């Protein structure tokens, strides 16, 4: 709300686990008077067909979508390389190109991944580059896994949280509330 009042944010994307997306829409309406459009994967084809060549992610200024529905995939049994590229462009490429001002990731610790190559971490990296403001929400950001925590923190500042470097309280403090 503060960023909106300052005129810094108009377009907001909330990325959350599938089980929380409906709650996000309800909570934003109830507590903040904000209307968010829930976009589910089974609607992607319909939205694409109704918008033609236009990026359907640009149709709404405030969107909530499930994280796993937009993460990139590298292969799927029976799919051609072309079909994979179309799938990834529609779900992630177009979403990233939609011009968000703020991206909120709930349960953000899931974006740390077991390696940098894991789809959820690649999703996190793409989202971190897609908007000037990124808010990562997690009650359990570390979970005893320093390497995943380092990858998660690198989404906020890749210059400070460099791979294979030590994480200290001093480095993390300015980024944690």
């Amino acid at each position: 709300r503060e960023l909106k009042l300052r005129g810094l944010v108009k377009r907001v994307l909330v990325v959350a686990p599938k089980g929380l997306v409906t709650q996000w829409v309800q909570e934003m309406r109830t507590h903040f008077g904000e209307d968010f459009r829930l976009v589910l994967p089974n609607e992607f084809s319909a939205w694409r067909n109704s918008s033609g060549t236009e990026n359907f992610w640009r149709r709404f200024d405030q969107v909530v979508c499930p994280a796993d529905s937009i993460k990139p995939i590298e292969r799927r049994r029976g799919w051609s390389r072309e079909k994979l590229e179309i799938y990834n462009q529609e779900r992630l490429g177009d979403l990233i190109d939609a011009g968000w001002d703020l991206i909120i990731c709930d349960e953000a610790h899931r974006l740390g991944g077991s390696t940098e190559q894991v789809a959820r971490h690649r999703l996190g990296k793409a989202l971190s580059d897609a908007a000037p403001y990124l808010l990562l929400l997690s009650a359990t950001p570390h979970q005893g896994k320093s390497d995943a925590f380092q990858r998660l923190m690198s989404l906020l500042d890749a210059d400070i949280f460099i791979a294979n470097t030590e994480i200290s309280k001093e480095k993390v403090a300015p980024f944690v509330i």
Side-chain angles (χ1 to χ4, degrees):
R1 178 161 281 168
E2 182 65 26
L3 292 171
K4 280 187 161 191
L5 291 172
R6 292 180 185 193
L8 299 172
V9 166
K10 179 181 178 195
R11 294 183 40 76
V12 180
L13 172 67
V14 177
V15 176
K18 182 181 178 182
L20 298 177
V21 292
T22 303
Q23 181 180 347
W24 262 96
V25 172
Q26 293 168 344
E27 298 284 332
M28 294 306 283
R29 185 174 295 120
T30 301
H31 297 292
F32 299 102
E34 296 284 343
D35 288 320
F36 277 74
R37 173 66 188 196
L38 178 58
V39 177
L40 297 172
N42 61 350
E43 300 172 330
F44 288 172
S45 293
W47 282 115
R48 185 185 64 242
N49 292 339
S50 70
S51 62
T53 60
E54 177 190 347
N55 182 336
F56 76 84
W57 292 104
R58 291 189 176 129
R59 291 187 104 169
F60 306 102
D61 285 337
Q62 301 192 131
V63 174
V64 175
C65 72
D68 284 343
S69 70
I70 58 172
K71 69 183 181 185
I73 61 172
E74 289 189 24
R75 61 184 156 297
R76 183 165 279 172
R77 177 177 276 161
W79 282 26
S80 67
R81 177 51 82 208
E82 181 182 2
K83 187 170 183 175
L84 283 170
E85 288 174 11
I86 290 169
Y87 176 95
N88 286 332
Q89 182 60 41
E90 176 183 277
R91 291 172 183 248
L92 183 58
D94 288 351
L95 177 123
I96 296 305
D97 293 339
W100 304 104
D101 300 313
L102 167 65
I103 297 176
I104 301 169
C105 297
D106 195 6
E107 298 292 323
H109 56 274
R110 297 178 181 195
L111 301 176
S114 56
T115 71
E116 288 186 358
Q117 305 311 312
V118 171
R120 283 186 179 164
H121 180 68
R122 291 183 318 171
L123 169 63
K125 180 67 178 127
L127 294 173
S128 74
D129 294 336
Y133 299 102
L134 176 68
L135 179 60
L136 302 179
L137 304 175
S138 176
T140 56
H142 193 285
Q143 300 183 314
K145 301 173 184 169
S146 295
D147 54 338
F149 182 65
Q150 184 279 330
R151 284 189 295 277
L152 179 65
M153 294 304 294
S154 74
L155 300 178
L156 297 173
D157 192 325
D159 294 330
I160 292 177
F161 300 101
I162 301 166
N164 302 319
T165 61
E166 187 175 323
I167 300 276
S168 66
K169 287 182 181 180
E170 293 76 25
K171 279 184 181 179
V172 173
F175 297 92
V176 177
I177 298 172

